[in-house]
Amino acid sequence: GIHQAAGKSLEQDCRKLNGCAVGEAKITPGHNLPAKWVIHTVSPIWQNGQYQEEQLLRNCYRNCLNLVHSQEIESIAFPALGTGTGKFNLETAARIAVTEIQDFLMTYFQLQQIILVCRDLPTYQTYRQVVTEIIEPLSLQPLLNKSDITVLS
């Protein structure tokens, strides 16, 4: 996993974080990873929408992006948060991810590249469709045009 690739020092930094609540985000150096930073967040588990799961997932993206802004980070890769063990519907999770990214880009302009990493073809197809629906019609706006939003499978 990530700790094996980054080395023991990432694991030691994670211990110093004293955990991370659902929806929160914390940052550590990337250590031996090709990334300068690792942003840690805990996505909620879908329980039929009875426990503010959608808002908590929004908070994951919002808090990660706030760290991106505060650290003046220019690129970020997100996994499809909430869609694995979190059991979120793919389209719901994709819409939350893309709308939070869009809202961020309307306010802050330093992000040059956003990569949405999808674990399989259905996830890729869903995220690609949502990006096409939400972001691409706005690409004529200069502030969104600056950022490259990529969906990878």
Side-chain angles (χ1 to χ4, degrees):
I2 191 170
H3 291 283
Q4 192 172 19
K8 288 272 187 204
S9 50
L10 177 63
E11 193 174 328
Q12 291 167 350
D13 276 354
C14 285
R15 283 195 196 113
K16 294 175 192 171
L17 295 178
N18 295 318
C20 187
V22 173
E24 283 186 2
K26 296 184 178 183
I27 192 167
T28 62
H31 298 285
N32 296 339
L33 295 172
K36 184 175 181 181
W37 303 102
V38 175
I39 299 177
H40 310 268
T41 191
V42 178
S43 58
I45 295 173
W46 182 256
Q47 299 176 61
N48 297 318
Q50 298 174 4
Y51 298 95
Q52 299 181 326
E53 298 96 336
E54 288 187 27
Q55 184 57 50
L56 289 168
L57 188 59
R58 285 185 191 290
N59 291 349
C60 289
Y61 284 98
R62 200 168 288 167
N63 289 325
C64 287
L65 291 164
N66 285 338
L67 287 171
V68 162
H69 175 65
S70 68
Q71 295 294 324
E72 299 180 351
I73 294 169
E74 293 183 353
S75 66
I76 187 168
F78 281 109
L81 295 174
T83 64
T85 57
K87 299 188 181 356
F88 265 75
N89 169 278
L90 285 178
E91 186 170 346
T92 300
R95 288 192 179 282
I96 288 170
V98 174
T99 55
E100 286 302 318
I101 289 166
Q102 176 190 6
D103 289 351
F104 178 82
L105 292 174
M106 296 295 245
T107 307
Y108 302 109
F109 314 117
Q110 87 261 21
L111 260 177
Q112 302 297 312
Q113 183 179 45
I114 303 131
I115 301 170
L116 299 171
V117 182
C118 303
R119 72 181 179 282
D120 55 29
L121 187 57
T123 306
Y124 169 80
Q125 290 171 331
T126 302
Y127 276 68
R128 179 74 247 154
Q129 181 61 38
V130 171
V131 167
T132 301
E133 286 176 20
I134 294 176
I135 298 289
E136 290 179 2
L138 301 173
S139 64
L140 295 176
Q141 294 182 18
L143 30 135
L144 289 178
N145 209 18
K146 255 183 83 175
S147 298
D148 176 27
I149 301 171
T150 307
V151 183
L152 296 177
S153 179

